Amino acid sequence: TQEQELAESYKVKGYPTLIFFKKGSPIDYSGGRQADDIVAWLKKKTGPPALEVSSAEQAKELIAANNVIIFGFFPDQNSEKAKVFLNAAGLVDDQVFAIVSDEKLVEELEAQAEDVVLFKNFEDPRNKYEGEEFSEDALKSWVFVQSMPTIVEFSHETASKIFGGQIKYHLLLFLSKKNGDFEKY
């Protein structure tokens, strides 16, 4: 409120507004409002796009610690597909990405070179990317769709993911939690 010109130059419309600067370029904050969301978003913007995984134990810990995590299995991190994977990882702010380069570890984790696998702790726990096109946009769309449960309880936190994402058609079911049969459905 004290720096009106500065606020106008960055198109600040409300408060609080977070703008992250990387190499002088502004990036609008697109994460949630909770402290954990902000910290995760900042880590994603300041750290590597994907965590380097060097052991099966580390992989299992990451899978257990995250509702959704996407692994890229790339013995050659300079390959075209690895670059696409890392670029997509940098663009998806709300999910954790990991990369495995050790060929023995790729086999140990039941994958093949250049596989991309999404692990989640709901529904089908392991999903391999099998799209025809291997591009940043295709991977981003696939990650979004696979990281959403089939049935989502509507809330302030889930509203933007439900209506602002890649899935354009929805079936809505309205149930009262007060009736006592909410969990049954």
Side-chain angles (χ1 to χ4, degrees):
T1 58
Q2 294 177 351
E3 300 290 337
Q4 289 295 322
E5 279 185 43
L6 184 62
E8 286 177 25
S9 70
Y10 288 104
K11 299 178 178 95
V12 173
K13 303 227 184 302
Y15 301 97
T17 295
L18 300 174
I19 300 174
F20 179 76
F21 290 85
K22 189 169 189 173
K23 297 181 181 175
S25 297
I27 301 170
D28 288 335
Y29 176 70
S30 59
R33 292 280 181 201
Q34 303 300 316
D36 290 346
D37 296 331
I38 295 169
V39 169
W41 189 87
L42 284 169
K43 283 183 178 179
K44 188 77 173 193
K45 293 297 179 196
T46 58
L51 303 168
E52 297 258 355
V53 176
S54 57
S55 70
E57 294 78 30
Q58 181 187 11
K60 289 174 186 167
E61 287 173 8
L62 285 168
I63 292 167
N66 292 282
N67 288 336
V68 174
I69 186 166
I70 302 90
F71 275 75
F73 297 95
F74 297 99
D76 178 8
Q77 287 193 28
N78 293 317
S79 72
E80 284 305 309
K81 283 190 173 183
K83 289 176 183 175
V84 168
F85 173 79
L86 291 170
N87 288 340
L91 296 171
V92 178
D93 294 330
D94 56 348
Q95 301 301 344
V96 177
F97 284 72
I99 191 163
V100 176
S101 297
D102 183 297
E103 291 183 37
K104 289 181 182 175
L105 185 55
V106 170
E107 285 181 29
E108 191 175 341
L109 294 171
E110 299 175 13
Q112 296 177 351
E114 299 196 332
D115 277 357
V116 174
V117 179
L118 182 142
F119 294 92
K120 56 188 174 183
N121 64 7
F122 55 89
E123 297 169 1
D124 187 14
R126 182 185 176 109
N127 297 273
K128 180 180 169 186
Y129 179 75
E130 295 175 337
E132 292 179 25
E133 178 185 359
F134 198 90
S135 68
E136 292 168 16
D137 287 340
L139 279 177
K140 277 176 47 181
S141 294
W142 176 77
V143 166
F144 180 84
V145 170
Q146 293 299 319
S147 64
M148 289 288 289
T150 304
I151 298 174
V152 181
E153 183 177 345
F154 182 80
S155 69
H156 182 68
E157 292 80 32
T158 60
S160 64
K161 287 186 178 183
I162 294 169
F163 297 113
Q166 308 291 323
I167 302 169
K168 301 299 178 196
Y169 300 101
H170 308 278
L171 176 62
L172 303 177
L173 173 63
F174 295 91
L175 296 172
S176 171
K177 283 188 169 183
K178 295 177 184 172
N179 286 348
D181 58 0
F182 179 79
E183 291 301 320
K184 176 177 140 185
Y185 293 105

